């Protein structure tokens, strides 16, 4: 009986030691690195191109942070999907947009800021990529126009094609013997044409947006040459 009791005591002692040893092997959960970051909720594109999206990190840790873009939708992407940002530093993504085949609207993606190798120090947010073309976009499918030349006063009806191009301008073909590229100032409802040279003359144009139409005046070397109108 005494031998049996001693064996039982040794068994209990072994269990206690084993339990304590297992407890000691479980590491404490590290304290997450404290940080905040600053980044815009959205980025707005008027037409195809590249825009800068800055990210800054605020922390007293002295550590380096990693920021990444992912889950892009629509025709948005980034030349560099990962940035390494020091504490209290900043950097910027170059976000690229191609408007071909995409409708105006809001296209979400995900931004992540984290401490490398710390799974409990990760922050994410949804960033809205916005395609918001200027007022010239409304004229992109127009097919009717008219023009009157000063030399004879004759009104000519024209079939035209209009295209909202990758620079946010309206390209008009068929109204004049050359392609017209109109630049829009939507805040004051005016347009100007990218100047060009035709038959040795410098051609310029200015106009106004009048409801659903655009009234134009063309000048050759500063002299009024013709008036036109792009119509619905």
């Amino acid at each position: 009986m005494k031998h049996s009791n001693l064996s039982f005591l040794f068994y209990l002692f072994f269990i206690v030691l084993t339990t304590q040893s297992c407890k000691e092997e479980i590491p404490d959960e590290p304290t997450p690195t404290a940080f905040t970051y600053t980044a815009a909720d959205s980025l707005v594109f008027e037409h195809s191109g590249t825009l800068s999206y800055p990210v800054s990190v605020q922390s007293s840790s002295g550590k380096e942070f990693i920021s990444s873009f992912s889950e892009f939708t629509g025709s948005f992407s980034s030349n560099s999907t990962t940035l390494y940002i020091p504490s209290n530093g900043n950097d910027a993504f170059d976000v690229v947009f191609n408007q071909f085949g995409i409708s105006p609207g809001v296209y979400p993606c995900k931004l992540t800021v984290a401490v490398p190798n710390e799974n409990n120090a990760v922050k994410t947010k949804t960033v809205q990529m916005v395609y918001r073309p200027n007022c010239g976009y409304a004229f992109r499918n127009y097919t009717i126009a008219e023009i009157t030349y000063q030399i004879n006063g004759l009104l000519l009806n024209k079939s035209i094609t209009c295209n909202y191009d990758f620079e946010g301008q309206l390209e008009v073909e068929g109204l004049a013997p050359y392609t017209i590229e109109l630049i829009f100032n939507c805040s004051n409802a005016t347009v100007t044409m990218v100047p060009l040279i035709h038959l040795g003359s410098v051609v310029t144009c200015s106009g106004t947006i009048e409801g659903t139409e655009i009234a134009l005046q063309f000048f050759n070397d500063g002299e009024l040459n013709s008036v036109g109108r792009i119509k619905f």
Side-chain angles (χ1 to χ4, degrees), residues 15-41:
I15 292 298
V16 171
L17 286 178
T18 303
T19 303
Q20 290 178 344
S21 176
C22 290
K23 288 182 178 179
E24 290 173 357
E25 290 176 1
I26 300 175
D28 294 333
E29 186 73 16
T31 302
T33 300
F35 72 95
T36 60
Y37 69 94
T38 303
D41 294 332

Side-chain angles (χ1 to χ4, degrees), residues 44-73:
V44 180
F45 286 80
E46 186 176 285
H47 53 80
S48 294
T50 301
L51 293 178
S52 178
Y53 182 85
V55 179
S56 62
V57 180
Q58 300 80 41
S59 175
S60 60
S61 67
K63 293 184 178 181
E64 184 178 61
F65 297 80
I66 185 170
S67 181
S68 62
F69 257 142
S70 62
E71 300 179 15
F72 281 102
T73 55

Side-chain angles (χ1 to χ4, degrees), residues 23-211:
K23 288 182 178 179
E24 290 173 357
E25 290 176 1
I26 300 175
D28 294 333
E29 186 73 16
T31 302
T33 300
F35 72 95
T36 60
Y37 69 94
T38 303
D41 294 332
S42 62
L43 193 60
V44 180
F45 286 80
E46 186 176 285
H47 53 80
S48 294
T50 301
L51 293 178
S52 178
Y53 182 85
V55 179
S56 62
V57 180
Q58 300 80 41
S59 175
S60 60
S61 67
K63 293 184 178 181
E64 184 178 61
F65 297 80
I66 185 170
S67 181
S68 62
F69 257 142
S70 62
E71 300 179 15
F72 281 102
T73 55
S75 298
F76 296 89
S77 62
S78 178
N79 287 336
S80 56
T81 56
T82 302
L83 299 177
Y84 292 91
I85 306 173
S87 294
N88 304 311
N90 62 82
D91 206 338
F93 292 97
D94 288 330
V95 180
V96 182
F97 170 59
N98 184 342
Q99 72 191 43
F100 181 78
I102 188 171
S103 299
V106 178
Y107 299 85
C109 64
K110 185 172 76 173
L111 177 72
T112 300
V113 182
V115 180
N117 302 318
E118 289 189 24
N119 294 331
N120 57 355
V122 179
K123 297 183 180 182
T124 64
K125 71 181 294 184
T126 297
V127 180
Q128 307 293 357
M129 297 294 162
V130 182
Y131 175 32
R132 186 184 300 156
N134 65 47
C135 58
Y137 184 85
F139 298 92
R140 69 195 182 284
N141 293 323
Y142 277 38
T143 59
I144 300 172
E146 60 186 33
I147 191 167
T148 303
Y149 289 94
Q150 294 297 105
I151 192 171
N152 55 21
L154 183 63
L155 174 66
L156 301 175
N157 293 309
K158 296 281 189 173
S159 295
I160 62 171
T161 58
C162 296
N163 174 54
Y164 184 81
D165 68 18
F166 286 177
E167 295 181 348
Q169 302 169 169
L170 190 72
E171 295 181 354
V172 183
E173 296 184 359
L175 179 58
Y178 40 79
T179 299
I180 299 166
E181 295 180 80
L182 295 178
I183 303 169
F184 285 75
N185 185 327
C186 300
S187 61
N188 62 11
T190 61
V191 299
T192 56
M193 186 186 78
V194 177
L196 54 85
I197 296 177
H198 178 68
L199 300 178
S201 297
V202 177
V203 181
T204 57
C205 171
S206 61
T208 57
I209 302 172
E210 300 178 355

